[in-house]
Structures are given as structure tokens and as C-alpha cells.
Amino acid sequence: MGILIYFTFATFILGYSSAQQSCTAIDLVANFIVGNETVLQWNATLRAENGGKNGATKVSIENVASTSSPKYHLTEESKAKASINGNAMIPCSSSRAGRKNGCSWSTTNSTFNLALPVVLDGNSGDAQIFEGVIDENSISLEWGVILQPGNKCNQDGEGNSHFPNVQVQIQQCCTTFITVPPPPSSAPTCKKYKSRAIIRNSDFSIFSTVNTTIYQNMMSLEVTSDYTGPTGSALDISANGYYTMCMTHLDTTSTCSFPLVMGDSKYIFLLKMHDKSNAWNYALSAGRFVIRNKEILMEEGVAFTKNNDCFYTSVKYDDGKMGTTELCCKEFA
Ligand SMILES: *[C@@H]1O[C@H](CO)[C@@H](O)[C@H](O)[C@H]1NC(C)=O
Ligand SMILES: *[C@@H]1O[C@H](CO)[C@@H](O)[C@H](O)[C@H]1NC(C)=O
Ligand SMILES: *[C@@H]1O[C@H](CO)[C@@H](O)[C@H](O)[C@H]1NC(C)=O
Ligand SMILES: *[C@@H]1O[C@H](CO)[C@@H](O)[C@H](O)[C@H]1NC(C)=O
């Protein structure tokens, strides 16, 4: 009897850990600490789900609870804000009744940085709560990590950044996992990728282009890019918005190295084109890598193969411009 239970249990564990999982909800506990005392605590659940139309994702904040004192509290508007693909912060918009304190954003396979407007001893400002990627209706961390059932929490901290004497510590634990399609058991290894991103004006004339070459090293991705666009503009290229040190000026080439984390991970190559004073900017994906079992995929369950060697995506901007991207494997091993 004991042995039977043991084997059943072992099979369950093995079966469970071999299936690929992604995270769709994270419980956040943000502690604002002065000295050794928590002066403000904010809890919420961040959830990603299918947003219905055109492959969009609905990102919501639920079960919000926080402490409040005259010196340490949320600002009056109190709504969490998010910067999507590095754009200006947008406050969460209240959804229909039903979900307690619920509000949401709509995203399109984007980087997602969550901030909370707080007042701490007379200083008001936005505290960074979560930096990540919301892609394929699931949540991963900014430096690539896909949280796993066996490793479901991440501890983040803002140090004492822009609030004097206040430390911000954030516990992020995934509470809901979904099983995603497994990576194919055999697919060729790709040695070299090329991405071509073009933004066109509404009359189809070319506004800007970025050509990128990506090589995989043992623990990093080497990314070389060429940029053309309006006079005086520049390109910032990053993985998940995190490694933003990589900037290219007009008609120049830049080479950057983006470190890879161990284990299953996800990277969106985010291109941000802007003029010198940031009067305008356009964000565009140069493609994604999902790494599962050390294999690079173009999306969950889909490898780069000779018959299916390119990933495509597109975006339409509010002013009528249109961005398109293709990321292709150009050399199989
Ligand atoms: C917290 O700090 C105060 C003053 O710095 C000290 O008196 C107190 O013992 C500390 N409490 C704990 C639990 O460490
Ligand atoms: C997000 O990615 C998935 C998988 O590649 C795709 O099916 C979906 O259409 C994408 N959504 C958008 C808005 O591009
Ligand atoms: C936040 O969550 C923690 C852990 O679950 C709990 O101990 C604490 O009471 C919660 N705080 C608030 C303000 O609800
Ligand atoms: C990107 O490549 C295309 C042709 O493949 C070329 O027409 C375009 O000028 C290139 N852009 C840059 C910035 O190198």
C-alpha cells in the first residue's frame, strides 16, 4: 500500500514537472520599510488573460488591499499605473462590477511595468512594483525568468531610490499556472537570426527601418542592429525593456550583448525609435525568443524550422503609421 502510494506520487511529480507551464497570475505584496518598520503595505493580484479581440491580453489588478496612515498612504487617485512597452504611465481603468476593486489594461505582447502612486512622509511619487513581460496571455519577469511551480516566487526591491529613507521590498509569487504546448522533441538548431522591422507612414512611405542580426552564445545573445529613420532620431534596443543601455543613432550600427538566464525564459526584443527630445516615439517588437528545455522557440510550442523559419508581427499606431516585423532563422546548424 505504502509503495503503491509512493509510486503514484512519484509519477505525479515527474508528469507534473515535465509539462511546460507558464504563469497567469501573480500575488504581489509590497512593503515600504523605514528603519525596521513596515509603514505601508499594498497587496494585489496581477492577472493576465485572453483579451478577446486581435490577440490582445487583458491585464488586471484584483483583490487590492493596503494599509494607510496619515504619513504613509496611497495618493488620492490611488490607482496603480503601468508603462506598456516603455510608453508613458497609464492608470488602470475600472472594469465592470463583480471583481472586488478590479481594474485593467489592454496589452499586445508587451513589456509591462507596474507602479503605485504613494505619499511617503510628504514625498509623493510612483513606486515601481513589478517589471515584466505580458506575452501570449502570460506573465514573465523582466530579465527573462518564467516562474515555475517549483520556483514560483521572486523578491524584488527598489532599494531606497527616490524616497528618502524608505526601502521598498516586493514579494511576487505566481499563484496560477497553465500548461502550454510542449517544445517539439526535435528541431534543428539555428545559428543566426535576422530581424527586419519597418514603420510605414499612412501613405505607405517608409518612416524608419531596423535590421537586426542575432547570434546565440553560451549565456548571451549578441544583437547587431542598423537603423535608418528621421533626421536626429535614435533607436533604443532592449530585451524585455530591461537592458536599455543599447542605443543606436541614425545610420549607425550597434552591437549589444543581452545576458540569458538559466532555465526556461522569454525575451521580447523591443525597439524604441524616438527623436532627441522624446517629442515622439514608436515602440515595435523585433520578435521574441521563448527558451524551453534549452531550445529557442518563436512562440510556445513552435520552433524555428526550415519549413517555418519566420515569426511575424505587426502593430498599428494611433496616428495611422503601421509597424511590421519579421524575425527569421537564416542559418541552421
Ligand atoms: C527596531 O528599531 C528600533 C530603533 O532603531 C529598536 O529599538 C527596536 O528594538 C527594533 N526592533 C526590532 C524588532 O528589531
Ligand atoms: C501575441 O502572440 C501570440 C503568439 O505568437 C499571437 O497569437 C497573438 O496574435 C499575439 N498578439 C498580438 C496582439 O500581436
Ligand atoms: C498582505 O498579504 C500578507 C500575506 O498574505 C498578509 O499577511 C497581510 O495582512 C496583507 N496585507 C493587507 C494590507 O491586507
Ligand atoms: C535593411 O535591409 C533592407 C533590405 O534587406 C534594406 O533595403 C534597408 O536599407 C536596410 N536598412 C538598414 C537600416 O540597414
Side-chain angles (χ1 to χ4, degrees):
M1 180 68 173
I3 288 171
L4 184 67
I5 288 172
Y6 175 77
F7 275 116
T8 309
F9 190 63
T11 309
F12 172 73
I13 295 281
L14 288 173
Y16 186 64
S17 61
S18 63
Q20 256 66 38
Q21 311 270 312
S22 73
C23 176
T24 59
I26 292 187
D27 274 359
L28 302 166
V29 178
N31 288 307
F32 296 79
I33 300 164
V34 175
N36 54 13
E37 197 193 340
T38 297
V39 293
L40 173 63
Q41 187 176 55
W42 182 82
N43 293 1
T45 303
L46 177 70
R47 185 183 302 281
E49 62 202 312
N50 189 335
K53 53 178 200 284
N54 303 329
T57 301
K58 180 182 166 195
V59 185
S60 38
I61 288 279
E62 303 162 13
N63 307 320
V64 178
S66 75
T67 62
S68 182
S69 70
K71 256 172 94 173
Y72 302 99
H73 53 88
L74 303 185
T75 59
E76 211 152 298
E77 97 216 73
S78 85
K79 270 194 181 146
K81 307 170 180 183
S83 163
I84 296 165
N85 278 346
N87 290 314
M89 291 276 178
I90 338 177
C92 195
S93 50
S94 295
S95 48
R96 53 203 156 77
R99 280 183 175 169
K100 194 181 159 219
N101 299 330
C103 66
S104 64
W105 298 265
S106 178
T107 65
T108 52
N109 296 342
S110 323
T111 69
F112 185 87
N113 290 357
L114 183 70
L116 193 64
V118 291
V119 181
L120 305 174
D121 198 9
N123 297 305
S124 55
D126 291 337
Q128 198 74 49
I129 302 292
F130 176 80
E131 295 168 282
V133 169
I134 302 209
D135 181 50
E136 297 184 272
N137 299 326
S138 69
I139 310 171
S140 51
L141 305 183
E142 192 176 38
W143 55 96
V145 169
I146 298 175
L147 293 170
Q148 300 290 325
N151 184 17
K152 64 189 174 115
C153 292
N154 175 55
Q155 195 83 38
D156 212 346
E158 240 211 322
N160 39 23
S161 57
H162 49 283
F163 298 105
N165 307 321
V166 181
Q167 275 230 329
V168 189
Q169 281 176 9
I170 301 130
Q171 169 90 11
Q172 304 160 344
C173 289
C174 184
T175 53
T176 312
F177 291 94
I178 51 160
T179 300
V180 295
S185 54
S186 75
T189 304
C190 182
K191 282 166 57 184
K192 179 181 170 185
Y193 302 85
K194 272 181 184 276
S195 160
R196 222 148 75 83
I198 302 174
I199 296 181
R200 288 179 189 275
N201 296 308
S202 47
D203 65 0
F204 295 102
S205 59
I206 290 179
F207 176 75
S208 62
T209 65
V210 184
N211 295 339
T212 304
T213 306
I214 305 170
Y215 291 97
Q216 186 191 3
N217 274 344
M218 285 291 282
M219 291 307 294
S220 66
L221 297 170
E222 306 305 317
V223 178
T224 301
S225 44
D226 293 302
Y227 169 63
T228 60
T231 311
S233 65
L235 165 75
D236 295 333
I237 176 163
S238 73
N240 299 342
Y242 189 47
Y243 302 105
T244 50
M245 69 285 270
C246 207
M247 194 202 245
T248 304
H249 291 283
L250 201 56
D251 300 319
T252 58
T253 299
S254 72
T255 298
C256 311
S257 181
F258 298 134
L260 293 171
V261 297
M262 305 269 279
D264 289 358
S265 52
K266 183 177 258 195
Y267 305 89
I268 290 180
F269 302 104
L270 187 66
L271 306 174
K272 264 201 97 168
M273 288 147 251
H274 55 91
D275 75 342
K276 269 202 194 87
S277 58
N278 249 317
W280 57 262
N281 72 69
Y282 295 92
L284 180 63
S285 166
R288 79 152 79 76
F289 280 174
V290 188
I291 304 185
R292 293 286 192 181
N293 286 350
K294 300 190 173 136
E295 204 179 318
I296 294 185
L297 310 173
M298 61 172 82
E299 65 180 62
E300 295 287 3
V302 184
F304 289 88
T305 61
K306 280 170 191 151
N307 293 330
N308 184 26
D309 56 351
C310 293
F311 162 87
Y312 300 95
T313 186
S314 65
V315 58
K316 203 163 171 37
Y317 303 99
D318 290 341
D319 65 1
K321 286 191 181 52
M322 173 97 171
T324 54
T325 291
E326 54 172 62
L327 170 66
C328 303
C329 177
K330 287 295 181 191
E331 218 179 298
F332 288 98

